[in-house]
Amino acid sequence: MSEQSARTGRPAAVRMIFEYDGDEIRLISTQPVDVALTGFDLSREVTPAPGHYVQLRSAEGAALAQVPLRNRPSASAEVFPETHGEPIVRTDLERASGAFTVVLPSVAAARQVVVVEVSHRPLTEGLATQEGLAPAPGAGEGATTSVDLASFAFDPAGDGAS
């Protein structure tokens, strides 16, 4: 047991396993784990890069910590050739399905686990641009949008999926 776990009575981290089938995401397992954590962001006022994340949020909905999904849900798959030497190709699937695992810090104020997709739309998207023109001062580089794909109650004790 880590020093933090012994001191607080809470696990240092929580491993969560999710399954997805099409647009549906399910939290299937929550386990307390006693590991050193790397690769997560504590809440800060920085807009995350485009991608998929799992966030811990407070009861008020404030982001407390997040981890990026390294293997994001995908609607394509690698297909290996039957003949040695032929290239591996990627093909679109009719319906994406699979699983992913994340390890998050066990934050005392956390009440929700949310799977989020962040995307970035450049200012020039959909507009014809001429070479050499710059955006107006203060116009920024584009818009970032965040969409909650799924939300679950946070149970750091791992008494079961929510």
Side-chain angles (χ1 to χ4, degrees):
M1 181 180 288
S2 73
E3 185 179 314
Q4 176 190 349
S5 296
R7 198 174 56 246
T8 64
R10 295 176 65 87
V14 178
R15 176 184 296 121
M16 297 177 184
I17 302 171
F18 298 85
E19 283 184 341
Y20 62 93
D21 186 16
D23 292 337
E24 183 183 347
I25 299 173
R26 295 177 304 280
L27 175 60
I28 60 167
S29 175
T30 302
Q31 297 176 297
V33 291
D34 202 15
V35 297
L37 287 175
T38 61
F40 72 91
D41 294 323
L42 290 175
S43 179
R44 49 188 156 146
E45 295 300 318
V46 177
T47 303
H52 290 79
Y53 298 85
V54 176
Q55 292 182 343
L56 286 180
R57 293 185 184 169
S58 68
E60 296 78 29
L64 302 172
Q66 72 180 10
V67 295
L69 292 183
R70 305 283 183 227
N71 299 316
R72 67 180 181 86
S74 178
S76 67
E78 288 183 330
V79 178
F80 291 84
E82 290 184 24
T83 306
H84 178 72
E86 290 183 1
I88 298 170
V89 295
R90 182 159 287 281
T91 186
D92 290 335
L93 301 173
E94 201 171 295
R95 184 175 181 94
S97 64
F100 57 91
T101 301
V102 297
V103 178
L104 287 155
S106 183
V107 179
R111 298 294 177 266
Q112 279 186 307
V113 178
V114 183
V115 180
V116 178
E117 179 180 20
V118 175
S119 59
H120 183 77
R121 182 179 46 84
L123 280 178
T124 57
E125 185 175 279
L127 300 175
T129 60
Q130 296 177 4
E131 190 174 324
L133 293 181
E141 295 181 4
T144 298
T145 58
S146 177
V147 176
D148 292 355
L149 302 177
S151 179
F152 309 93
F154 179 60
D155 176 15
D159 295 334
S162 303

